[in-house]
Amino acid sequence: MQNSFRWYGPNDPVKLTDIRQSNAEYIVTSLHQIPYGEKWNKNDIKKRINYINKYNDSYKINLKWNVVESIPVHNNIKLRDKNFKKLINNYKDTIANIASNKIYTICYNFMPIVDWTRTQLDFKLPTDGLALRFNYLQIIIFEMYILKLKDLEKRYTKKQIQNAEKIFRSMNSNDIKNLKIAVMGGLPASETKYSVNGFKKMLKSYKGMKNKDIKENLREFIKEIMPVAEENKVKMGIHPDDPPIPLFGVPRIVSTMEDYEYILNSYNSPCNGMTFCAGSLASNFNNDVYKIFNKFKKRVNFIHLRNIKKEKDKKSFYESNHLNGDVDFVKLIKMILKEEKRRSKEKKIDIPMRPDHGHSLLDDQNKKNFNAGYTAIGRLMGLSELRGIIKAVK
Ligand code: DNO
């Protein structure tokens, strides 16, 4: 596996020199300053590579940008609405421009409205570390009391609504503010920090869209971009929905084994692959992560390793460390190494892998402007645990 670390660019409080101390050798990053939908110019990509190289030279390190995560997909593409054709053309040009700078792996996702979603960014663990958490009742509270949506009984049971009401009564204004921040843009890589009205407007544009409609829009998108990826030898990896369940009454379509089967069959090419994110996939109770890996292993173009601990309601979870969660990482890593061994016979390169989120530990907790989930020390511990397993089972 190519040990990689996500870096949010020159403004990331976690610097490249910090990343080097984690023993990572590769950088996963994106041009986050470019608004969704706009084309990335060759020069802007080159500039970022030069930035990394300059850092390498002055600190005598050798980090290499191996994966673009992500080129975000504009909501108009997901809706196939308005200027979507122009946006798809920009997307294709961006793929080609990235490849011309010799980066050949790109991660993307197709989650409607918001990218990954959590309801709490500082869930206290017994160790006093802080983790990210997704609580289903908090999502109902968000819809009921922050968005003030009216049709909740269509998708939630009476009991769930009553439980959410009960919890809401015990929340103070700070709790509500934190919930609002967490869901509407407190996480890095989210498109916009939505206002309540902006969020509701987006919800309206998805109104009436069925699972099958969004799936078809994704298939059309895939059919348009993959020939460009093939021509430029770029491996695309679609990231699963995080969490892989419908949210706010809008379908999510990259959640299950069946979803991936549909997606990978929409265009049969190694370029049309997946980002295997263990933590995201495992947070749907019906998903068997080992089975999913085995079924699609040849099409895994990028790996995120993160663990979770599911909660009693079977819909909520918090992010655990790699060694204590629901996914058996020794078992999973053995499977990944076996697949890499198979690929090595075809002289294919190792699969890029990054430890996904980390807890907020020790001095991480004193940092003001860090990206939630992307702490230095927490992720360093994550990568260390993973490297230990890899070394032991190899
Ligand atoms: C969360 C991440 C996501 C992911 C994108 C992929 O930490 O895994 O932001 O990068 O959804 O496109």
Side-chain angles (χ1 to χ4, degrees), residues 99-127:
S100 75
N101 274 291
K102 300 198 169 51
I103 301 169
Y104 297 107
T105 308
I106 297 173
C107 170
Y108 70 109
N109 76 77
F110 216 76
M111 293 180 237
I113 311 178
V114 281
D115 194 299
W116 58 307
T117 304
R118 297 290 181 271
T119 57
Q120 191 182 353
L121 309 182
D122 59 354
F123 177 62
K124 206 170 180 138
L125 300 162
T127 54

Side-chain angles (χ1 to χ4, degrees), residues 6 69-70 107-109 111 115-116 188-189 239 304 354 356-357 374:
R6 193 175 195 175
E69 178 176 358
S70 305
C107 170
Y108 70 109
N109 76 77
M111 293 180 237
D115 194 299
W116 58 307
H239 188 284
H304 286 180
R354 68 173 181 85
D356 206 2
H357 316 146
Y374 288 90

Side-chain angles (χ1 to χ4, degrees), residues 40-57:
W40 297 14
N41 294 318
K42 279 185 193 163
N43 260 344
D44 289 333
I45 304 162
K46 183 88 199 122
K47 246 198 210 151
R48 179 62 59 85
I49 294 175
N50 288 344
Y51 182 98
I52 297 172
N53 286 343
K54 210 165 143 206
Y55 229 80
N56 280 339
D57 288 345

Side-chain angles (χ1 to χ4, degrees), residues 16-30:
L16 293 176
T17 39
D18 301 330
I19 293 176
R20 183 58 185 150
Q21 291 186 29
S22 72
N23 278 305
E25 292 154 307
Y26 295 87
I27 291 293
V28 170
T29 193
S30 177

Side-chain angles (χ1 to χ4, degrees), residues 77-93:
I77 295 180
K78 296 171 195 163
L79 290 159
R80 264 184 117 67
D81 194 16
K82 298 182 189 146
N83 59 344
F84 77 93
K85 284 193 180 139
K86 166 97 182 98
L87 294 168
I88 294 178
N89 283 335
N90 287 349
Y91 206 97
K92 291 186 197 167
D93 290 345

